[in-house]
Each structure stands twice: as structure tokens, then as C-alpha cells.
Amino acid sequence: MASHVPNLPPPAPSSTPAHLTSPRSTRTLRKLQSAHALSSNYAAAGNAPSLISQQRQLQHHKSAILRDAGPPPAPVLAAPPQGQLRSRMRADSESAAAEMSIGAAASKRTAVAKKINGEDRNAKEELEILVRQGPKGDLSGSLASLRRSVLLDGLVADSDGMSQLRIYIWLILLNAPPLRTDAYLSLIHRGASPAYAKIRNDTFRTLATDPLFKRRVSEASLIRLLNALAWTLHDAHSVPSPPSPASIYLQGMNVLSAPFLYAARSEAEAYTLTHHLLAAHLPAYIHPAMPGVHRGLALLDRLLALVDPALAAHLAAAALAANLYAFPSVLTLCACTPPLPEVLCLWDFLFAYGVHLNLLAIVAQLVLMREDILAVERPGALLRAFPPLRARRVVQLAVSFVGMLPRGVYEELVAHVR
């Protein structure tokens, strides 16, 4: 079977202002004792401008490829019509399933081809070139290649899950627009938002048992980011009357922002990614009634019945609907399930192929627990906390489930986050 590049839909566009970092703003963040100082590692490595500097140059000067070696601009593409988007996303996911099954053979063929052409580069080097130099003419093809690389090869990271490229690749895959660090600082300087008390009640409990997160991210950093996010949502919903605290800070926002703070090089980057994920990719999750989350939970029961009828019947006989055990996993895109480095790997896949596939990732975790669940009459205790996440195995199973879904069900899966 021949390998082919998936043709994925572009991320949703956004209207966040342009520009991310400046030396003066970096010093200001440090004065605020941010857990994440704005890093200059990429610039030091190649005397290159930052990701956002390159984005501004691309937008203002329309340069196809920058000469300096620095992270690339996040591509801005026009979204297709909704019906076409759903159809393409299903086709892309089925393509991803085929690519996952032939991944090893494709990697061997690619390696041989590179040696024949005198290009003995590994996957990491190719990603670095793409991230630093940007696409060479074919933007959609480069995005498809990036997504395929995430699926087949993953991102190179250390044992703590830290990767030099991940945060920039997330910015690209989510199509997150640039943000002035001064704009983030202005939100901080506004002081406590109307939701500040709710935020403080959550931050000290966020990934409280994860030593990696606690070592790298301070509670003060998490408070600042969530308070800035609350002000942003407050301003967006202040007409015709000021919103209530319950509508500008919702359950789960703290856990969703945690992996961004852990992986990002600055609070401003983490804020940009968190806000864009919620506003552009999970809008139905941040409504006070959380309609997207509840639709996802109802859909999860149906997905499990399609994938594994015996397991679904066993849980139904024990009166264990998804809303009783899967609410945290749906709400947080599985960020509630340790270890954190595995969450980052799972998010690589979700951001590449669509956050709606998180439901299939949860089904995959249930299938991996199948023997233990079927062995007991009342498996409620087993489902109170899922086993440690195994991202690559979960992704393999989730991709394989796509072809088992009727078209109408898959369209519901895509639409539930909207």
C-alpha cells in the first residue's frame, strides 16, 4: 500500500493582535517573578528573530521564507465550509489510520530515499528546518507533512517531556495568532478579575500530585494566566451587561492551561495557546452550561458501543454511563490523567488532527482497561482514576477506530466541540 500525505483542514482563524515578545517586556515578566522567563535559546542558537517577529515580518512584508533561522509563522488559512470541513476531517482521519498502520514501512522508505538523494536527515532535523525556515512554497503540503511527522514519528523530547520544537509546532497546528507581550502584561496590571476568588480556589489543586509540573510551574504563574484569561472573556462578554464570574472562569480551565505553562517558554505563549484553544477549537466547552462537554459525554457512550459492544454493555449493566466516570477526561482533553509527558504527546496528535478525537482517545483508554473492567461485576472503582496514560498506544487505537464510525456519527464527533 502506498503512503500518502493527509490533506487536513486548517485550524480555525482568530483575531488576536499581532506581536509577542520584546526585551523590555521580558524584563518586566521577570520582575513579576514569572515561572517562565521569555527564552532566547532559539535566537542564541542561530541569531534568529522570535516566532512572532517572523510572523509580523511575514504579515507586513509578505516574505515567503525568512533568511534568518528562527521559528516560523503560524500559517493563516481560510476555513472551508462546515459541511466540507466535516467531510475532509473524516477523510483525513481515515488517512491518518492508514498512515499509522504503514508507519514503519514508510519511515524505512523515506530513510532510503534520503540516502539516495544525499539527504541523510532524521525526523527531528527535518522538523527543525521546517520550523526555522518555513514552508518552501507549498503551504498546505508542508502542513500535511508536519501533521504526518507528528503522527508517525512524534516529537523528540527528554524524559520530562520537554521539547525545543513542541511549543512552536503547537502554535502552528492550532493556528494561534501572535500576541504582544505588552498586551498580556496589561491584562495582568488590571489586577484581580471578578473571577479571582474562584481562580485562587482552583490553582493550588491543579496537578497537585505531579512533581514535574510543580517543579517547573509556580502557582503564581498559573494565577496570572487564568486571571488574564478571565479578563479577556470578561471583555468579550461585557455587552450588554457585565458577565458573572461563572461565565468568565469555568471548571477545567486551570487543568487545560497547565500543559501549556509546562511546555511554553513564556507565560504570554501559554496564555495565547490556552485562549486560542478554548475560543477557536473548544467554544462549546467554555459556555457556562458546557453544552459541548455534555454532548461529548453522551456521544462517548455511543462511540464505545460501536467500537466494543461487549464492553459497552457491561458498563451499561453496571449503570456506569460516561458522565459518571469520564467527565474530567472529556473536559480537560485527558490532561487530568498522568504522566504529564504522555499528555503532551497525546496533545501533539489532537492538535494535529483535531481536538474532537479526544473522545476516541478516551474510548481507547477504556479498551486498554477491557480485561480488568470485564473481570468485575461493578467496575466503578476502576474508573475513578484511569491507569497511567500510554499516548502512542492510545493514538494508534483511536486512529484505528475512525473507520468503524458511520459518517453521521463522525460528523457529530467533529461538531460536538463547536
Side-chain angles (χ1 to χ4, degrees):
M1 182 186 305
S3 174
H4 59 283
V5 179
N7 181 24
L8 298 174
S14 178
S15 58
T16 313
H19 226 94
L20 183 57
T21 131
S22 68
R24 179 176 61 80
S25 299
T26 303
R27 288 194 294 272
T28 307
L29 273 181
R30 286 173 178 163
K31 289 178 183 178
L32 288 169
Q33 298 180 340
S34 167
H36 300 281
L38 292 171
S39 174
S40 60
N41 289 353
Y42 258 84
N47 295 320
S50 68
L51 167 71
I52 307 307
S53 297
Q54 293 191 39
Q55 286 183 312
R56 188 173 68 164
Q57 291 178 40
L58 183 67
Q59 292 166 354
H60 287 264
H61 303 293
K62 302 185 182 298
S63 172
I65 300 175
L66 300 178
R67 291 175 301 169
D68 298 320
V76 179
L77 303 175
Q82 187 67 19
Q84 179 184 353
L85 173 64
R86 292 176 183 173
S87 175
R88 287 176 58 190
M89 292 186 82
R90 178 180 179 86
D92 295 336
S93 296
E94 291 172 344
S95 176
E99 287 186 322
M100 180 65 79
S101 67
I102 62 174
S107 297
K108 283 185 179 181
R109 286 195 297 271
T110 302
V112 170
K114 288 175 189 171
K115 288 198 172 185
I116 291 174
N117 295 327
E119 299 177 7
D120 192 9
R121 296 170 180 163
N122 58 31
K124 181 189 176 195
E125 289 172 339
E126 292 197 343
L127 277 179
E128 286 178 348
I129 291 171
L130 178 62
V131 168
R132 287 177 182 273
Q133 298 180 2
K136 296 183 178 179
D138 183 7
L139 180 59
S140 61
S142 295
L143 283 172
S145 177
L146 173 60
R147 290 178 168 111
R148 184 179 65 180
S149 180
V150 168
L151 177 68
L152 298 181
D153 304 313
L155 301 182
V156 176
D158 62 23
S159 60
D160 291 345
M162 302 307 298
S163 166
Q164 290 184 335
L165 297 178
R166 173 171 279 126
I167 200 66
Y168 301 114
I169 289 174
W170 282 2
L171 285 164
I172 294 169
L173 293 175
L174 290 178
N175 202 22
L179 170 76
R180 281 183 175 271
T181 302
D182 289 343
Y184 175 68
L185 291 172
S186 70
L187 292 169
I188 293 174
H189 291 316
R190 288 172 68 173
S193 70
Y196 185 74
K198 289 184 65 179
I199 291 170
R200 290 301 303 268
N201 194 44
D202 277 350
T203 52
F204 74 93
R205 299 180 293 188
T206 304
L207 304 189
T209 61
D210 192 308
L212 293 177
F213 179 76
K214 288 299 181 183
R215 186 171 70 229
R216 182 170 173 82
V217 181
S218 70
E219 184 183 0
S221 181
L222 185 60
I223 291 170
R224 283 194 296 270
L225 185 150
L226 293 173
N227 194 65
L229 185 62
W231 274 125
T232 302
L233 296 178
H234 175 276
D235 295 346
H237 298 93
S238 59
V239 178
S241 60
S244 66
S247 65
I248 62 175
Y249 176 75
L250 301 173
Q251 182 181 1
M253 284 185 179
N254 57 321
V255 180
L256 280 170
S257 65
F260 289 129
L261 276 172
Y262 182 81
R265 294 170 178 263
S266 72
E267 284 182 28
E269 280 180 342
Y271 163 83
T272 298
L273 283 162
T274 304
H275 177 246
H276 194 69
L277 173 68
L278 293 172
H281 297 271
L282 294 170
Y285 279 38
I286 59 171
H287 187 279
M290 295 184 177
V293 177
H294 294 295
R295 285 197 300 266
L297 289 167
L299 187 55
L300 185 59
D301 288 322
R302 294 166 57 198
L303 293 173
L304 182 60
L306 289 167
V307 169
D308 193 331
L311 182 58
H314 186 70
L315 292 177
L320 283 173
N323 66 317
L324 298 178
Y325 63 84
F327 182 85
S329 296
V330 173
L331 178 64
T332 67
L333 302 182
C334 294
C336 59
T337 304
L340 187 52
E342 294 293 307
V343 172
L344 303 183
C345 291
L346 177 61
W347 279 23
D348 294 340
F349 166 71
L350 295 180
F351 295 165
Y353 287 91
V355 292
H356 58 279
L357 293 174
N358 178 57
L359 296 187
L360 291 181
I362 298 171
V363 172
Q365 292 174 75
L366 292 171
V367 170
L368 290 173
M369 300 169 62
R370 188 178 196 276
E371 291 186 5
D372 293 335
I373 293 174
L374 294 178
V376 293
E377 184 177 351
R378 299 190 176 278
L382 286 173
L383 298 176
R384 287 175 190 160
F386 283 11
L389 188 62
R390 296 158 54 194
R392 293 299 291 174
R393 183 61 180 140
V394 166
V395 168
Q396 287 177 335
L397 287 173
V399 169
S400 72
F401 296 157
V402 171
M404 303 170 66
L405 306 182
R407 182 169 297 277
V409 173
Y410 188 82
E411 290 180 352
E412 287 185 57
L413 176 63
V414 173
H416 91 275
V417 297
R418 303 291 175 180

